[in-house]
């Protein structure tokens, strides 16, 4: 029997925090028509599907820290997070489908990349939802400690309010200091 895992990441373009990746093996009973790319869903829809996916699949999360992002680069850190998610699955997939055109190098796994896979393949869409909601929860929690950056709304992306807050309040330990425009403000 073929066991397919979908893999996607969340937080690559953010100015703060770790990058997350999720690996998801959907159960055959799951309603795949409900699952869509996380970017095409409202926050409430994503959270509902996140709970549905977690109950009806095998899933795992991998992360790469801000330090790892700054030491390697965001692409390599994203691939590291993906590898960690894949290796944490409690069932070995026969095929791994990854959103994008790059994949981590993992021997003994068959891996295929698909550009816009999160829009075409339900297991990748599910991974995009699990990665995004998991990361958003962490960033929202951090936002309670670092008020004024509006992380509960912008999730660390470079919105006008966030950039203004950086100039006013400074750079935190959670900011990716190698990212523009933060690297110009140090």
């Amino acid at each position: 029997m073929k066991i397919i895992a979908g893999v996607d990441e969340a937080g690559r373009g953010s100015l703060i925090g770790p990058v997350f990746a999720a690996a998801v093996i959907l159960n055959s009973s799951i309603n795949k028509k409900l699952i869509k790319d996380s970017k095409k869903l409202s926050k409430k829809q994503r959270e509902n599907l996140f709970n549905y996916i977690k109950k009806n699949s095998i899933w795992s999360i991998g992360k790469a820290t801000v330090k790892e992002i700054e030491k390697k680069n965001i692409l390599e850190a994203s691939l590291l997070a993906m590898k960690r998610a894949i290796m944490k699955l409690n069932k070995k997939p026969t095929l791994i489908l990854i959103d994008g055109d790059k994949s981590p190098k993992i021997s003994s796994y068959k891996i295929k990349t698909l550009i816009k896979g999160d829009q075409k393949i339900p297991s990748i869409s599910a991974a995009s939802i699990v990665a995004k909601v998991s990361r958003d929860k962490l960033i929202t929690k951090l936002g309670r400690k670092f008020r004024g950056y509006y992380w509960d709304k912008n999730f660390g992306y470079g919105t006008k309010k966030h950039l203004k807050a950086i100039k006013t309040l400074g750079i935190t330990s959670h900011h990716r200091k190698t990212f523009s425009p933060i690297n110009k403000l140090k």
Side-chain angles (χ1 to χ4, degrees):
M1 189 172 110
K2 212 174 200 184
I3 302 167
I4 298 171
V7 178
D8 201 2
E9 54 72 31
R12 257 180 87 163
S14 179
L15 301 178
I16 68 159
V19 63
F20 276 51
V24 176
I25 300 169
L26 296 173
N27 289 345
S28 59
S29 62
I30 203 163
N31 184 349
K32 292 177 183 173
K33 290 178 183 168
L34 294 175
I35 301 170
K36 295 175 177 48
D37 174 15
S38 66
K39 293 180 285 300
K40 295 186 175 180
L41 299 167
S42 70
K43 183 180 181 200
K44 186 167 178 55
Q45 288 173 317
R46 272 194 305 272
E47 288 173 358
N48 288 339
L49 283 169
F50 172 74
N51 292 323
Y52 177 66
I53 292 162
K54 283 176 37 179
K55 287 178 189 160
N56 294 285
S57 64
I58 297 167
W59 61 276
S60 63
I61 296 284
K63 302 174 204 165
T65 65
V66 171
K67 282 186 181 178
E68 289 170 321
I69 292 166
E70 291 180 345
K71 184 178 177 187
K72 298 175 179 291
N73 64 48
I74 190 61
L75 173 60
E76 291 303 316
S78 297
L79 296 176
L80 178 61
M82 288 180 187
K83 182 177 182 176
R84 288 173 174 161
I86 293 164
M87 301 309 287
K88 283 171 66 177
L89 284 170
N90 64 17
K91 192 174 217 178
K92 185 175 178 180
T94 52
L95 175 64
I96 298 167
L97 301 175
I98 296 180
D99 183 45
D101 63 352
K102 304 268 189 285
S103 68
K105 305 292 179 249
I106 310 172
S107 58
S108 79
Y109 282 88
K110 185 177 178 186
I111 299 174
K112 185 177 177 185
T113 59
L114 292 112
I115 293 172
K116 297 191 179 181
D118 54 356
Q119 297 173 23
K120 302 170 188 170
I121 308 294
S123 60
I124 298 176
S125 300
S128 79
I129 292 165
V130 172
K132 176 149 181 54
V133 172
S134 298
R135 185 177 188 282
D136 286 357
K137 286 180 183 216
L138 172 70
I139 301 303
T140 300
K141 188 176 173 183
L142 288 175
R144 288 187 208 114
K145 292 178 186 172
F146 293 88
R147 298 203 180 273
Y149 292 92
Y150 307 99
W151 292 344
D152 59 325
K153 303 272 188 270
N154 61 46
F155 302 101
Y157 287 84
T159 64
K160 283 182 183 181
K161 278 186 172 181
H162 186 190
L163 296 175
K164 186 177 178 185
I166 292 168
K167 288 177 184 166
T168 307
L169 302 171
I171 299 166
T172 71
S173 59
H174 299 286
H175 281 96
R176 300 173 183 174
K177 291 154 193 77
T178 55
F179 276 43
S180 184
I182 296 165
N183 60 0
K184 295 175 182 92
L185 301 171
K186 291 192 285 179

